[in-house]
């Protein structure tokens, strides 16, 4: 069996008067993430992990933050395209494991909704998507609530088509 692993990492700055999108869902919070797209740091980490596993470069290569067509885009659209690229190259997703690093808000109550949303977008079972959350114990940019980070790992395999 031809299996491959890829890792993704993404960060986005937090700011007032922005919406907070994580894992394809909107979370009520005093601050949101800033980016060229909707700044969904979780989806961006997943995209990079999958693209890396398939040796298809990274999210910035496919969806440049200098391209006006991606300004404000819903990251679920980008993830759907990444899954198409994966499958067009003869691979399927085995699983993706993610760690969201955020001081606030509490992420755990939102994980079931994120998993449901992502499984629909990616056309995979929810049990193929792991989402965990941690803080940075009030250290660094995450601890100062200046931003959020995500670490993602994807395992893919060559499909038998």
């Amino acid at each position: 069996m031809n299996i491959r692993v890829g890792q993704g990492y993404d960060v986005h700055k937090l700011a007032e008067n922005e919406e907070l999108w994580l894992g394809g869902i909107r979370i009520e919070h005093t601050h949101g993430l800033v980016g060229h797209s909707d700044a969904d740091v979780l989806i961006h980490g997943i995209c990079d992990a999958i693209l890396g596993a398939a040796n298809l470069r990274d999210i910035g290569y496919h969806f440049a933050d200098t391209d006006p067509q991606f300004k404000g885009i819903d990251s679920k659209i980008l993830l759907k395209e990444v899954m198409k690229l994966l499958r067009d190259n003869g691979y399927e997703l085995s699983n993706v494991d993610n760690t969201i690093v955020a001081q606030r808000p509490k992420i755990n109550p939102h994980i079931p909704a994120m998993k449901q949303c992502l499984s629909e977008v990616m056309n995979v079972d929810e049990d193929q998507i792991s989402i965990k959350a941690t803080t940075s114990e009030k250290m660094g940019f995450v601890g100062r609530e200046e931003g959020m980070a995500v670490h993602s790992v994807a395992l893919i395999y060559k499909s038998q088509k």
Side-chain angles (χ1 to χ4, degrees), residues 88-101:
D88 287 350
N89 280 274
Y91 290 97
E92 278 297 328
L93 180 73
S94 177
N95 71 299
V96 64
D97 182 33
N98 307 278
T99 303
I100 301 169
V101 188

Side-chain angles (χ1 to χ4, degrees), residues 65 77 99:
D65 65 3
I77 295 168
T99 303

Side-chain angles (χ1 to χ4, degrees), residues 120-134:
E120 290 171 8
V121 171
M122 299 167 76
N123 195 27
V124 299
D125 292 334
E126 282 185 44
D127 71 355
Q128 291 174 262
I129 302 166
S130 169
I131 302 172
K132 305 175 305 293
T134 190

Side-chain angles (χ1 to χ4, degrees), residues 26-73:
R26 186 169 185 274
I27 297 173
E28 289 297 324
H29 188 53
T30 59
H31 291 68
L33 295 169
V34 179
H36 185 68
S37 65
D38 64 6
D40 190 323
V41 69
L42 177 55
I43 287 181
H44 297 176
I46 292 170
C47 288
D48 268 346
I50 292 169
L51 290 168
N55 196 20
L56 294 172
R57 305 212 32 191
D58 61 31
I59 192 172
Y61 176 79
H62 294 278
F63 315 108
D65 65 3
T66 55
D67 190 331
Q69 74 175 317
F70 302 121
K71 179 72 177 156
I73 195 167

